[in-house]
Amino acid sequence: MECVHHALRVLEVVNRYSGGVSLAQIARETRLPQLVLARALEQLVRANLAAPAGPGAYIRGRALLLAGAATGDGRGHLQETLAWVRDAVGAAVYVARYSDGEVCITQYADGPATPLVEEWVDFRAAAHASAVGKALLAQLGTDGRKDHLSRHRAARFTAHTITRQDHLFRQLDTRRPGAPLLDLQEYALGTVCAALPITSGPDAECLALSIPAPDPHRLGQAARMLQSEAAAVLLALIVAGSTPRAPRTAPPREEGAGEPGSILITAH
């Protein structure tokens, strides 16, 4: 979050100068240390939110220009970002939100070599057993978690599923700061998942991946990549903005980057 905060400070300055702004001016206005500023600009350029405009100068990037246009294309930029993250981590990736007391997949990116997880049990009823659900529940208070589990009983889906409330809460509360929440074949045998809390608005949100193979080494490697790219997704979410519509729990089965019709993206 601190990296994203720095990037947003830089983005605010770049956006204010339609004809471009010098690195020296950005440094003066943000008062960020040199290395922090360089990292923030690198993130913005990679996310197409800023672009070099000659030696030591930057202008608004393509994604920011599209998001600010009359038609607005924040949704397209977000989906492009998810597709890029999908390719970087080598797994299907998802953005999910806890909306109106339910788990809701809002965007995703998959492909022939990175299939979506098969929703054999409604995701809304499986928060205790899925990485997405755990990452969202981890952002709720104790009362919010208990309310959710009172409406969705913690059923056992596999031999690995955690069904005891105290065990689940302990797992949510004792993870290291910034560490991903994991699903180690708790939702479905043969599938492992990781999710990171990543919130751009008033509702709990997360970024997740799924791998159709119970390989802890591959999951750990993909989760580390997901952590390194999470800032880009959060920036895309913030720039795009999102307003929930009627929730839908599972994305349609088309391949590529898309959204399951559960939200309407509007550009700020």
Side-chain angles (χ1 to χ4, degrees):
M1 285 301 297
E2 186 177 17
C3 292
V4 171
H5 178 67
H6 292 155
L8 288 174
R9 285 172 63 185
V10 174
L11 185 61
E12 182 180 5
V13 176
V14 172
N15 191 44
R16 202 157 51 238
Y17 293 87
S18 59
V21 58
S22 69
L23 182 59
Q25 184 64 25
I26 298 173
R28 278 193 293 271
E29 295 195 29
T30 61
R31 298 182 181 179
L32 291 174
Q34 185 175 0
L35 291 179
V36 174
L37 177 57
R39 174 58 177 159
L41 282 166
E42 179 187 6
Q43 289 180 327
L44 293 173
V45 170
R46 288 182 66 194
N48 289 320
L49 294 171
Y58 292 86
I59 59 174
R60 288 180 287 183
R62 181 179 64 88
L64 195 61
L65 292 171
L66 289 173
T71 55
D73 195 27
R75 177 174 60 186
H77 170 56
L78 178 56
Q79 292 175 358
E80 286 179 4
T81 302
L82 289 177
W84 162 41
V85 173
R86 173 201 62 203
D87 295 340
V89 303
V93 295
Y94 315 77
V95 173
R97 179 187 296 122
Y98 195 75
S99 180
D100 296 326
E102 300 292 354
V103 173
C104 181
I105 306 295
T106 58
Q107 283 94 12
Y108 70 94
D110 70 333
T114 54
L116 297 170
V117 65
E118 185 69 33
E119 188 190 17
W120 75 281
V121 173
D122 192 322
F123 290 150
R124 290 174 296 187
H128 65 290
S130 68
V132 161
K134 291 180 186 180
L136 296 176
L137 291 176
Q139 299 176 68
L140 305 182
T142 300
D143 290 343
R145 296 174 186 173
K146 289 182 176 179
D147 172 71
H148 183 89
L149 293 174
S150 71
R151 292 181 285 108
H152 299 291
R153 184 177 64 86
R156 185 176 299 281
F157 303 136
T158 76
H160 307 284
T161 306
I162 298 174
T163 58
R164 285 189 52 175
Q165 188 176 106
D166 57 335
H167 288 181
L168 175 63
F169 287 9
R170 189 178 306 118
Q171 183 183 95
L172 300 182
D173 293 331
T174 58
R175 70 184 181 93
R176 301 188 316 277
L181 283 301
L182 303 178
D183 161 14
L184 302 177
Q185 301 187 81
E186 297 167 49
Y187 176 74
L189 292 176
T191 298
V192 290
C193 308
L196 296 167
I198 171 175
T199 298
S200 63
D203 297 323
E205 290 175 290
C206 71
L207 173 65
L209 64 84
S210 66
I211 298 175
D215 183 344
H217 175 72
R218 184 181 170 194
L219 178 64
Q221 188 177 47
R224 287 189 292 273
M225 286 295 298
L226 192 72
Q227 287 176 301
S228 69
E229 305 297 350
V233 176
L234 184 51
L235 283 169
L237 282 166
I238 291 171
V239 170
S242 59
T243 305
R245 253 190 336 201
R248 175 173 171 173
T249 58
R253 296 302 303 173
E254 292 88 4
E255 292 174 348
E259 56 187 318
S262 58
I263 66 168
L264 172 66
I265 302 293
T266 56
H268 290 316

